Amino acid sequence: MPGREATPITWAIALHGGAGTLSRDIELAEKHAYEVGLSTALALGVSMLERGDDGLDVVEAVVRVLEDDPVFNAGRGAVLTADGVHELDASIMDGRNLACGAVSGLTTVRHPIALARKVMTESSHVFLSGEGAEVFGSTVKVDRVENSFFTTEYQRKAWELAHEDAGEVVHKDAGEEHGTVGVVVRDKNGHLGAGTSTGGTIYKRYGRVGDSPIIGAGTYADDRSVAVSCTGTGERFIEQVMAYQVAARIRFGAQSLADAVSAAMVELPAGAGGLIAVDRYGQIAMPFNTTVMHRAAADSTGRRNIGIWEEIIELS
Ligand code: ASP
């Protein structure tokens, strides 16, 4: 079997906290905050998977923790649009039956991933946007907050810088920003799940939607192949149908996970971003072509690591 290890992996999880550029000269406190955020989220996922929880519950719970963490660009800590507000996007997919749910342009839903899952389980639709998604949020009773709840000092300053630079340019590229969150898992029953949540790209135009809530572009899961969550300049990932491309390479092209992700990454322009993936054997891949991708991974064989720049940090 391609990529199968000698010791079978019974469960595996990978998560990301966004890809982009980040100087190695950042303050220790900032680096520490990223590391704590990644390892706290990873620890939750590990404890749930070890006790046999369903993969989709793990995806939602871990994404919610990352959404609440202000260092990441999802939920609290999200980037601001050109108009100075937050518009949040998320999606989730269940690999056992290809069920999926997505939301975009949310302004008052505290955990966009939770609403994406409700779209999947409690509506006959797959994707709700803007006002309609908010109204649906009221009927299924998800947590609501003021839009300003999502604003951090860090993102307010980032917006001011983008605003000064904007000039004639209405939309800035993702470039410097990072912090979208995503989780992929293989649970003990062999089910794959994926979820992604984001504030989008900094200074984005009103109504802009990136790859994160688009099934097949930013998120995909199929028990027959792989679960994938992407991060980076969404427009490039939509063009490449990136998450599905990885799945199709494995399922129809019989490529190993490693070969599928490398071949798919070659299709992206340099600096576009990265992805996390876990296949049906529990193999994990976390490639990126930016200077950083905040990421973490664990599996049933004892793997526990996190990374920001290229190097991997083993957790004890
Ligand atoms: N992919 C996200 C988007 O385009 C942004 C990111 O991952 O940083 O909305």
Side-chain angles (χ1 to χ4, degrees):
M1 293 286 181
R4 197 196 272 277
E5 291 276 342
T7 316
I9 297 168
T10 54
W11 60 262
I13 178 169
L15 60 92
H16 70 74
T21 51
L22 186 66
S23 159
R24 283 192 184 263
D25 299 332
I26 58 165
E27 301 208 354
L28 265 181
E30 194 183 341
K31 185 166 169 256
H32 186 65
Y34 286 127
E35 291 177 355
V36 170
L38 293 169
S39 38
T40 304
L42 188 70
L44 173 66
V46 166
S47 66
M48 292 180 77
L49 285 162
E50 264 174 350
R51 71 178 184 224
D53 281 11
D54 185 74
L56 256 258
D57 290 339
V58 179
V59 168
E60 180 182 343
V62 177
V63 171
R64 284 169 80 119
V65 164
L66 292 164
E67 286 174 339
D68 277 340
D69 189 328
V71 303
F72 300 112
N73 169 23
R76 201 155 79 87
V79 296
L80 289 149
T81 66
D83 296 337
V85 296
H86 303 279
E87 291 178 18
L88 311 178
D89 306 333
S91 65
I92 191 164
M93 186 159 184
D94 188 343
R96 95 195 81 194
N97 53 10
L98 306 185
C100 45
V103 285
S104 69
L106 301 181
T107 53
T108 66
V109 174
R110 177 169 176 182
H111 296 112
I113 196 73
L115 189 59
R117 192 169 181 195
K118 295 271 189 204
V119 171
M120 178 179 105
T121 56
E122 291 182 35
S123 86
S124 55
H125 306 300
V126 160
F127 199 149
L128 292 177
S129 70
E131 193 56 35
E134 297 269 330
V135 169
F136 176 70
S138 304
T139 65
V140 294
K141 298 196 174 40
V142 290
D143 284 355
R144 306 300 277 274
V145 289
E146 293 291 319
N147 192 255
S148 57
F149 165 86
F150 301 116
T151 311
T152 56
E153 189 52 30
Y154 179 88
Q155 293 296 357
R156 173 62 60 197
K157 284 198 183 124
W159 181 88
E160 278 160 14
L161 280 176
H163 194 59
E164 278 166 23
D165 288 355
E168 298 296 300
V169 186
V170 191
H171 165 70
K172 266 184 77 93
D173 222 13
E176 307 276 303
E177 261 318 312
H178 47 87
T180 291
V181 306
V183 177
V184 291
V185 303
R186 178 205 195 271
D187 69 18
K188 278 187 174 170
N189 292 317
H191 294 310
L192 302 184
T196 311
S197 182
T198 189
T201 48
I202 187 159
Y203 216 74
K204 66 184 180 182
R205 184 190 278 272
Y206 170 60
R208 177 264 185 193
V209 179
D211 61 316
S212 307
I214 298 181
I215 297 297
T219 304
Y220 196 74
D222 181 347
D223 281 5
R224 294 166 294 189
S225 53
V226 68
V228 181
S229 170
C230 302
T231 174
T233 307
E235 286 73 7
R236 305 293 82 78
F237 287 79
I238 295 169
E239 289 160 359
Q240 288 302 326
V241 202
M242 197 63 180
Y244 183 72
Q245 183 182 145
V246 173
R249 285 178 179 281
I250 293 172
R251 180 150 178 244
F252 304 116
Q255 291 187 340
S256 68
L257 176 69
D259 288 349
V261 298
S262 331
M265 287 297 293
V266 166
E267 301 296 323
L268 288 174
L275 60 85
I276 52 169
V278 61
D279 73 5
R280 62 196 160 129
Y281 307 116
Q283 300 287 330
I284 291 170
M286 300 190 286
F288 56 100
N289 68 13
T290 38
T291 61
V292 296
M293 184 169 77
H294 305 277
R295 62 202 187 280
D299 69 25
S300 56
T301 69
R303 173 181 181 158
R304 305 280 184 276
N305 46 49
I306 63 172
I308 298 177
W309 291 273
E310 219 168 280
E311 66 277 9
I312 290 287
I313 304 162
E314 299 293 339
L315 299 174
S316 44

